[in-house]
Amino acid sequence: MYRGRLERDLSLWVGKGLLGQETAATLLAEYDARPASFSLGRVLMALAAVLLAAAILLVVASHWEDIPRLVRVGAILLLIWAVHIGAALMLARGATAAASGLLIIGAMSFGGAISLVGQMYHLSGDEQTVMYLWFAIATISAILFRSGAVTVVAGFLSWASFAVYLENHDTHWVGLDPWMAPVMAAITIALVRYTGAERARHLAYLLLIGWLAWLYTLYEEIAVALAFAVGGMVAVVLTALPLPRIASLVRSAGAAPAFYSFLVAAIGFLLLHIEIEDGWRLVVLGLATLAASVLAIALHGRDNGAVRYLAYVTFAAEMLYLASVTVGSILGTSSLFLFSGLVVALVAWIVIRLERRFSASAQGERA
């Protein structure tokens, strides 16, 4: 998809005389020489590793009653050492796909080893502690081998750890354990930046959003929903500001920060609609939702398709909801559209002024 768009743009620039034909051909050849972001062989290798690791975990779960304890422990430790040494050798030879598969087996085998030792020697502890230790070991492995595959495993383990907590504590807040979900998400994001496993960042962002949604189920108060809406929109604005430190982090993370910030805001507005069902507050909430959608499009719509489409859906859903729930006549509907248009025009005017100011400051810095 991107290659086709790039080829069309290069042809357009060549036709307008902005770029030479040889230069365009060189640029396209350079892009074709890059390693593909998607490789069926790598995907199949990862799936094979997951299946083999699942087989190992099932064998561990069977207790191996007929095999002596020391033999069982020695076998699982030998497997862990073997796959990591094999991964190191594969990396030295440049066989990254095979190395990633071995590292996945190694990371999964650590969990099997922890469970096996706990089963055999009846060690005290609980599932939550096992998940923390498993995540920590996967994190260390991802750092030592700079492995994107193990980073993905760590991301899934963070989800599994949060799920184990919710199951064991019946979704209630108990102690400091609930804070581990955002801590693990932050660690996963750091691993993504270190290993380059860009797609794994979505696991961390989705875990944070799931954690926030769980917080709302604990309290179900309008103040929590309002915090989601306001906090999400503040993050949307911050990701658009040309602040040196923030802008560099946002650019390196791609479209994800702005999209997930607006997703949190959209969830907040949805929860507010659940709390507020009628009256003038509903009209104000509707106009605020429309204004937030327009602001998100104005700030990120040009370069961020995910934000743009989410804002389109939010705007359209809000208009349909207001028209169907709060308006009972044609005159009322026209009034709604009138006020909505005025709000959108006001937001557009503010955004235009901000864009001009940012553009002027950027030109001044270049000068």
Side-chain angles (χ1 to χ4, degrees), residues 7-22 24:
E7 188 173 7
R8 289 193 300 272
D9 289 340
L10 291 175
S11 299
L12 178 63
W13 296 333
V14 170
K16 290 184 176 181
L18 301 175
L19 199 65
Q21 182 66 45
E22 294 183 359

Side-chain angles (χ1 to χ4, degrees), residues 83-172:
V83 295
H84 282 87
I85 293 174
L89 294 175
M90 290 296 150
L91 287 174
R93 296 174 56 184
T96 56
S100 297
L102 291 174
L103 288 173
I104 291 174
I105 295 175
M108 300 296 287
S109 298
F110 271 118
I114 297 170
S115 300
L116 178 63
V117 173
Q119 289 173 4
M120 291 190 305
Y121 297 100
H122 306 288
L123 299 179
S124 61
D126 54 19
E127 293 177 294
Q128 197 67 63
T129 304
V130 171
M131 295 307 302
Y132 292 158
L133 182 58
W134 197 353
F135 177 83
I137 292 172
T139 299
I140 294 173
S141 178
I143 294 173
L144 292 177
F145 289 90
R146 203 159 193 164
S147 172
V150 182
T151 299
V152 174
V153 173
F156 280 110
L157 288 176
S158 66
W159 270 95
S161 175
F162 187 47
V164 167
Y165 170 82
L166 295 179
E167 182 178 0
N168 291 341
H169 298 283
D170 196 23
T171 71
H172 296 302

Side-chain angles (χ1 to χ4, degrees), residues 285-306:
L285 174 60
L287 295 177
T289 305
L290 296 175
S293 301
V294 175
L295 181 61
I297 294 173
L299 294 179
H300 295 283
R302 185 186 65 179
D303 301 321
N304 194 323

Side-chain angles (χ1 to χ4, degrees), residues 240-293:
L241 293 177
L243 302 176
R245 294 182 179 179
I246 296 179
S248 60
L249 289 175
V250 170
R251 282 195 300 269
S252 63
F259 171 74
Y260 287 107
S261 296
F262 186 62
L263 181 59
V264 171
I267 293 173
F269 285 119
L270 175 61
L271 296 177
L272 286 172
H273 279 79
I274 296 175
E275 298 289 342
I276 301 173
E277 298 181 353
D278 52 25
W280 64 269
R281 295 193 304 168
L282 180 59
V283 176
V284 173
L285 174 60
L287 295 177
T289 305
L290 296 175
S293 301

